[in-house]
C-alpha cells in the first residue's frame, strides 16, 4: 500500500469477529436468500444485467447490443430508447397505482405534504412544460440549487422528461462553487428557492443564486420556489416564481424518448485537483443499476415498504436513492427537509414512528452523532416498523454498527453497509439482506454483476490482506466520463492500473473473502460522508490575500470520520485571524469544507525536492509520534507544529 494510506482504525476493523446471519424470519419473505443471482451473474454478467433491464425497466424501443466496451468507454443497452421520468412515474400511474403515495414530505417546522404518483405526474409534466416555455431544449443543461423540498425532485424529473440533463448543486455550497459549476456546464436555467429551513431558521438560497448568476455567464432564467418566505432581490425578465409559472402550465407533457446513452445528469464531485469534476451519467444503464440495487439491496416490497433515505438530493445518494431508484420501483418514501436535532434530538425517530418507516438508509457519521446523543432518544419511540437498515458514505466502525443494530434495529434488522461512489452511479459492494451473513464494519461482497478486485502497487491481484480497490468489468451505472474533459477521465480512473477502474479507495480482504473498505488513498477527504478535496481547500485558503501557502489534510475524527486540518503560512507582514480564514473557506466552497483547525506556521515540512509532506502533517494533526524526519528540508518545523497541535488539542 502507498505510505499515504490512511491506516488508523483499520486494525480494529480487521479484528472484528462477530457475524450476523440473516434470521430465519427475515429469510421467509426475502427476495433473495441464496447464491442464485451471484451464480447467474458470474456465468454471464451481460446476460444478467440484460435480464434486469428487461424485468425492471420499461423501454419504448428495445436495445440491439447489451454492452459496447472499448476501455474506458462503455455503452449499455445500445440502440434502446426510454424515458426515465416515464419509468419513475407514468408507468406506475398506468398500472393503476396513481393514488399510491410517492412522497410523505416533512418540512423542518413540521408542515407536511403528501404527494401521490398521480399528483407527481401532473406536477412534473407541468414543470416540464414550464422549462420548455423558458426555451429549454433537449440536451440543454439545467442547474438546480434547492433545499430538500419536493420541488427539487420535481425539477429533476421534469428535466429527465424533456431530455435536459440536470446538474444539481448541494444547497450548502457557496455562490462561487455554484458559479463554477454553472460555467462548466454552461447551464441555461437555474432552479432555486428563496430559502429553506435548517435548525429552526430560514437559510437563504436566492442571494447565493444571484451572486452565482452574476459571476457566471450562461444563465438566462432563474426559477424560484417560495419556501422560506424570506425577502429576495429580483431581476425582472430573468427571475420567475415557480408557482406563477406553474399556474398556467398544462399537465400534459409526453415523455421524450431518449437514447439509452443520452446524458441524464451531471453531478460535480471533488477530485484530487482543485477543480471539481462533472461526472456524467446516462439514461438506460443508470436507471437499470439504481432500480436493481434499490430493489435487491434493501429487499424492497414496494406494496408495503416505506423507504427513507436521509441524504440530500444534492449528493449522488439523493439522486440514486431518493429520486431515481425508489421512484422507478414505485415505492412510498419519506423526504425530510431539515436537521436531525430540530426541535429535539429524536426528530428522526419521531419521523420513523409517524410514517412507519420500514427501510432506513443513513450515514455512519449520523449514527455516531446519534450515539453521542444517547440511546434514550430512539427509545422514546416505537421503531418496530423498521426491518432493514442501511449505511453509506464512509467506513462504519464496528461500535457504530452494533449501536445501530441494537438501538435502531431492535437487534433484528439486517444492516446493509453499501460501498459506492458518485462515479459508480449506484451501490456496488453490499450485503443482500436475506442472503449475506454480515460482519460489523465490512461491506461484505460485490453485488451480482459487479467485479471488484484488490491490487498492490504493481497491479498484482491481492486475495488476502490490503490493496487498492479496482473494478475489472464495466457496470450499467458507471460514469460515462467527465464533462468536457475526456483526458482527465482516462487519467483519473483508468491509468493507475492497466485495464481497471481505480476507485481511489483502499480495502482489505479477510480470510473469509469479506471486503473491508478503509477510506481514500488519494488527496480526497471524507468529512461526514462528504467528499472534499485537500487541493480545493488549499486553493480556497491561498485565494485569501493574507495567505502565502497552505497545506490541508484530513485527520481522523471520532464523529465526522475525518476533519479538515489546515496549515497556513501568511504573507510577510499580513495579519489575519484563524476565524477569518475559516469563514473565507466557507464562502469560497461551503460550510462543509470549513477547516476544523487552522495552524498558522512560519514554514511547512517539505521533502528536499520541495513536496509538502502531507502524511507527516496528518500524523501531527492526529497526535501521532512521528518517526525519522531527517529527509525534511527543515525538521525543526515539525517540532514546532507538534507543539501547536498539542496546545490546540
Ligand atoms: C466512501 C457516496 C466505506 C469511499 C455514495 C468512496 C465508503 C467515497 C462507503 C464516495 C462505505 C462510500 N464504506 N467507504 N460503505 N461508501 N464510501 O462520491 O471513500 O460522495 O470513494 O459517494 O465515499 O463518495 P461519494
Amino acid at each position: 500500500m502507498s505510505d499515504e494510506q490512511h491506516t488508523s482504525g483499520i486494525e480494529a476493523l480487521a479484528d472484528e469477529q462477530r457475524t450476523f446471519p440473516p434470521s430465519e424470519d427475515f429469510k421467509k419473505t426475502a427476495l433473495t436468500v441464496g447464491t442464485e443471482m451471484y451464480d447467474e451473474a458470474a456465468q454471464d454478467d451481460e446476460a444478467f444485467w440484460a435480464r434486469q433491464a428487461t424485468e425492471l425497466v420499461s423501454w419504448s424501443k428495445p436495445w440491439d447490443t447489451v454492452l459496447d466496451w472499448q476501455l474506458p468507454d462503455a455503452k449499455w443497452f445500445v440502440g434502446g430508447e426510454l424515458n426515465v421520468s416515464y419509468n419513475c412515474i407514468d408507468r406506475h400511474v398506468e398500472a393503476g397505482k396513481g393514488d399510491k403515495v410517492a412522497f410523505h414530505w416533512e418540512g423542518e417546522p413540521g408542515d407536511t405534504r403528501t404527494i401521490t404518483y398521480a399528483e407527481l405526474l401532473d406536477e412534473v409534466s407541468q414543470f416540464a412544460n414550464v422549462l420548455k416555455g423558458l426555451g429549454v431544449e433537449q440536451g440543454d443543461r439545467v442547474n438546480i440549487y434547492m433545499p430538500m423540498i419536493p420541488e427539487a425532485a420535481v425539477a429533476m424529473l421534469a428535466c429527465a422528461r424533456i431530455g435536459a440533463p440536470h446538474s444539481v448543486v448541494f444547497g450548502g455550497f457557496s455562490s462561487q462553487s455554484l458559479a463554477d459549476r454553472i460555467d462548466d456546464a454552461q447551464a441555461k436555467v437555474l432552479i432555486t428557492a428563496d430559502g429553506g429551513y435548517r435548525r429552526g431558521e430560514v437559510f437563504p438560497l436566492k442571494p447565493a443564486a444571484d451572486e452565482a448568476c452574476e459571476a457566471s455567464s450562461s444563465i438566462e432564467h432563474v426559477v424560484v420556489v417560495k419556501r422560506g418566505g424570506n425577502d429576495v432581490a429580483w431581476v425582472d425578465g430573468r427571475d420567475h416564481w415557480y408557482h406563477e409559472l406553474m399556474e398556467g402550465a398544462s399537465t400534459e407533457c409526453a415523455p421524450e424518448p431518449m437514447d439509452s446513452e443520452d446524458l441524464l445528469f451531471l453531478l460535480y464531485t471533488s477530485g484530487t485537483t482543485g477543480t471539481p469534476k462533472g461526472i456524467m451519467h446516462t439514461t438506460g444503464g443508470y436507471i437499470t443499476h439504481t432500480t436493481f440495487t434499490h430493489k435487491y439491496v434493501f429487499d424492497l416490497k414496494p406494496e408495503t415498504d416505506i423507504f427513507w433515505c436521509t441524504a440530500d438530493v444534492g449528493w449522488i445518494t439523493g439522486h440514486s436513492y431518493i429520486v431515481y431508484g425508489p421512484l422507478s420501483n414505485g415505492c412510498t418514501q419519506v423526504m425530510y427537509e431539515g436537521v436531525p436535532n430540530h426541535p429535539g434530538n429524536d426528530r428522526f425517530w419521531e419521523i420513523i414512528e409517524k410514517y412507519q418507516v420500514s427501510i432506513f438508509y443513513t450515514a455512519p457519521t449520523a449514527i455516531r452523532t446519534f450515539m453521542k446523543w444517547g440511546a434514550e432518544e430512539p427509545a422514546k419511540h416505537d421503531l418496530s416498523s423498521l426491518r432493514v437498515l442501511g449505511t453509506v458514505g464512509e467506513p462504519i466502525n464496528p461500535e457504530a454498527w452494533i449501536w445501530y443494530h441494537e438501538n435502531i434495529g431492535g437487534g433484528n434488522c439486517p444492516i446493509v453497509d453499501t460501498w459506492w461512489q458518485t462515479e459508480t452511479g449506484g451501490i456496488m459492494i453490499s450485503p443482500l439482506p436475506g442472503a449475506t451473513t454480515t460482519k460489523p464494519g465490512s461491506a461484505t461482497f460485490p453485488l451480482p454483476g459487479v467485479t471488484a478486485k484488490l491490487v498492490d502497487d504493481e497491479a498484482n491481484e491481492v486475495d488476502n490482506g490490503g490493496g487498492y480497490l479496482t473494478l475489472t468489468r464495466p457496470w450499467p451505472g458507471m460514469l460515462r466520463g467527465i464533462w468536457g474533459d475526456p483526458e482527465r477521465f482516462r487519467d483519473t480512473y483508468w491509468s493507475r492500473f492497466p485495464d481497471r477502474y481505480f476507485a481511489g479507495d483502499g480495502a482489505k480482504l479477510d480470510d473469509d473473502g469479506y471486503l473491508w473498505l478503509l477510506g481514500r488513498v488519494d488527496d480526497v477527504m471524507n468529512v461526514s460522508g462528504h467528499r472534499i478535496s485537500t487541493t480545493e481547500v488549499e486553493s480556497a485558503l491561498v485565494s485569501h490575500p493574507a495567505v502565502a501557502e497552505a497545506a490541508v489534510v484530513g485527520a481522523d475524527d471520532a464523529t465526522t470520520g475525518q476533519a479538515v486540518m489546515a496549515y497556513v503560512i501568511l504573507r510577510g507582514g499580513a495579519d489575519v485571524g484563524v476565524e477569518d480564514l475559516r469563514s473565507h473557506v466557507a464562502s469560497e466552497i461551503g460550510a462543509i469544507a470549513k477547516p476544523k483547525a487552522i495552524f498558522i506556521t512560519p514554514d511547512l515540512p517539505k521533502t528536499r525536492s520541495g513536496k509538502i509532506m502531507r502524511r507527516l502533517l496528518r500524523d501531527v494533526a492526529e497526535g501521532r509520534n512521528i518517526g525519522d524526519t531527517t529527509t525534511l528540508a527543515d525538521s525543526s518545523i515539525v517540532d514546532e507544529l507538534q507543539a501547536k497541535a498539542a496546545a490546540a488539542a
Side-chain angles (χ1 to χ4, degrees), residues 269 316-317 391-395 417-423 503 505 517 519-520 526 529 531:
T269 188
I316 191 67
T317 306
T391 72
V392 59
E394 42 173 336
D417 171 0
T418 64
W419 178 90
W420 57 295
Q421 310 177 293
T422 304
E423 291 87 340
D505 280 44
L517 277 308
R520 305 287 307 192
N526 190 328
R531 264 167 81 166

Side-chain angles (χ1 to χ4, degrees), residues 16-23 401-402 405-406 411 413-415 433 436-440 514:
E16 179 57 48
Q17 293 298 332
R18 284 166 286 191
T19 55
F20 293 80
S23 71
W401 195 103
I402 296 286
H405 188 255
E406 285 173 1
C413 299
I415 297 182
T436 313
T437 294
T438 53
K439 297 186 184 185
Y514 280 66

Side-chain angles (χ1 to χ4, degrees), residues 22-34:
S23 71
E24 288 310 313
D25 209 35
F26 190 89
K27 276 158 66 174
K28 260 186 231 152
T29 61
L31 292 180
T32 164
V33 295

Side-chain angles (χ1 to χ4, degrees), residues 49 285-294 424 426-428 475-477:
W49 284 116
Y286 174 80
I287 199 68
T288 301
H289 193 129
T290 50
T291 310
F292 167 75
T293 49
H294 180 254
T424 68
I427 298 168
M428 301 292 280
W475 61 99

